[in-house]
Amino acid sequence: AQSVTQLDSQVPVFEEAPVELRCNYSSSVSVYLFWYVQYPNQGLQLLLKYLSGSTLVESINGFEAEFNKSQTSFHLRKPSVHISDTAEYFCAVSLTGTASKLTFGTGTRLQVTL
Amino acid sequence: ETGVTQSPTHLIKTRGQQVTLRCSSQSGHNTVSWYQQALGQGPQFIFQYYREEENGRGNFPPRFSGLQFPNYSSELNVNALELDDSALYLCASSYTGVGGYTFGSGTRLTVV
């Protein structure tokens, strides 16, 4: 079975500072990796995903994540955060192939302040 | 694209009652999953339907059941509600599940 570990439950950061949210996964087989963002009182929005190919994936709003197979990690980074990035971020993994469920980490609360 | 819509948005039920939550999948999607998200936790997989057949189930008791209809909309039914069932219930849809899922905004269920 797969599992996901997000070591940081909360990450406070000042606006315009860089940030890294850590995600490690465990699986004996190939997986797909995802980052989802959840704003207060809302559902989850897909931020970015790794399916295959380039290990560095980017989102449209400046986030990026790098798949590291040897370290079984998929850390999320942004070079300069904004107040509007304040949200809960979830790392998730699924098996490759059709109709595989998502297994989520416990989430990291990113709190951006002035 | 219409996205994934869930109804109702909020619901209050009494312990022991039954509840039905509804989900309308995004157009073109044939896979629907349901997740339970307790306060301060990550979403937990309840079950998944692929082309109207259940093809995966998480660690939830049989009183959690579901359906997927020919138009790929879905229902989650919970019988004999318990206080611990209070949570945000999320529906997610995808075309085959590869490439990620689109989530609805959820139904907030409170059991008193």
Side-chain angles (χ1 to χ4, degrees), chain B residues 18-23 32-35 46-49 54 56-69 74-81 85 89:
Chain B
Q18 178 267 342
V19 68
T20 297
L21 310 182
R22 294 179 174 82
C23 172
V32 65
S33 306
W34 286 90
Y35 292 81
I46 303 175
F47 47 59
Q48 179 167 280
Y49 284 84
E54 184 180 297
R57 188 177 182 91
N59 189 26
F60 281 81
R63 59 189 185 84
F64 285 78
S65 63
L67 282 172
Q68 187 183 28
F69 299 102
S74 177
E75 287 183 354
L76 164 65
N77 300 290
V78 187
N79 293 321
L81 283 166
D85 295 333
Y89 288 84

Side-chain angles (χ1 to χ4, degrees), chain B residues 1-20:
Chain B
E1 289 186 352
T2 55
V4 177
T5 56
Q6 293 187 242
S7 62
T9 55
H10 295 84
L11 201 53
I12 299 175
K13 287 287 189 178
T14 303
R15 188 172 51 183
Q17 284 188 314
Q18 178 267 342
V19 68
T20 297

Side-chain angles (χ1 to χ4, degrees), chain A residues 36 38 43 49 90 97 99-100 102, chain B residues 35 37 48 55 96 98-99 101:
Chain A
Y36 283 85
Q38 185 175 36
K49 60 188 176 187
F90 292 96
S100 294
L102 291 168
Chain B
Y35 292 81
Q37 186 179 18
Q48 179 167 280
N55 79 329
T96 75
V98 177
Y101 288 78

Side-chain angles (χ1 to χ4, degrees), chain A residues 9-76:
Chain A
S9 59
Q10 294 188 63
V11 174
V13 63
F14 291 111
E15 191 174 39
E16 297 184 3
V19 70
E20 178 180 82
L21 306 183
R22 296 181 293 169
C23 172
N24 288 89
Y25 70 94
S26 174
S27 177
S28 58
V29 297
S30 296
V31 295
Y32 297 142
L33 293 156
F34 308 87
W35 276 99
Y36 283 85
V37 59
Q38 185 175 36
Y39 298 101
N41 300 313
Q42 293 188 26
L44 301 172
Q45 297 176 27
L46 180 63
L47 192 58
L48 45 74
K49 60 188 176 187
Y50 171 77
L51 304 181
S52 64
S54 173
T55 57
L56 184 65
V57 291
E58 299 176 348
S59 72
I60 59 173
N61 57 354
F63 283 95
E64 65 177 31
E66 185 160 19
F67 169 54
N68 188 319
K69 188 174 182 179
S70 62
Q71 298 190 2
T72 60
S73 67
F74 191 55
H75 301 331
L76 182 69

Side-chain angles (χ1 to χ4, degrees), chain B residues 1 13 16 24 32 37 44-45 52 82 88 97 99 104:
Chain B
E1 289 186 352
K13 287 287 189 178
S24 178
V32 65
Q37 186 179 18
Q44 297 293 314
F45 175 72
E52 302 178 58
E82 301 177 359
L88 180 68

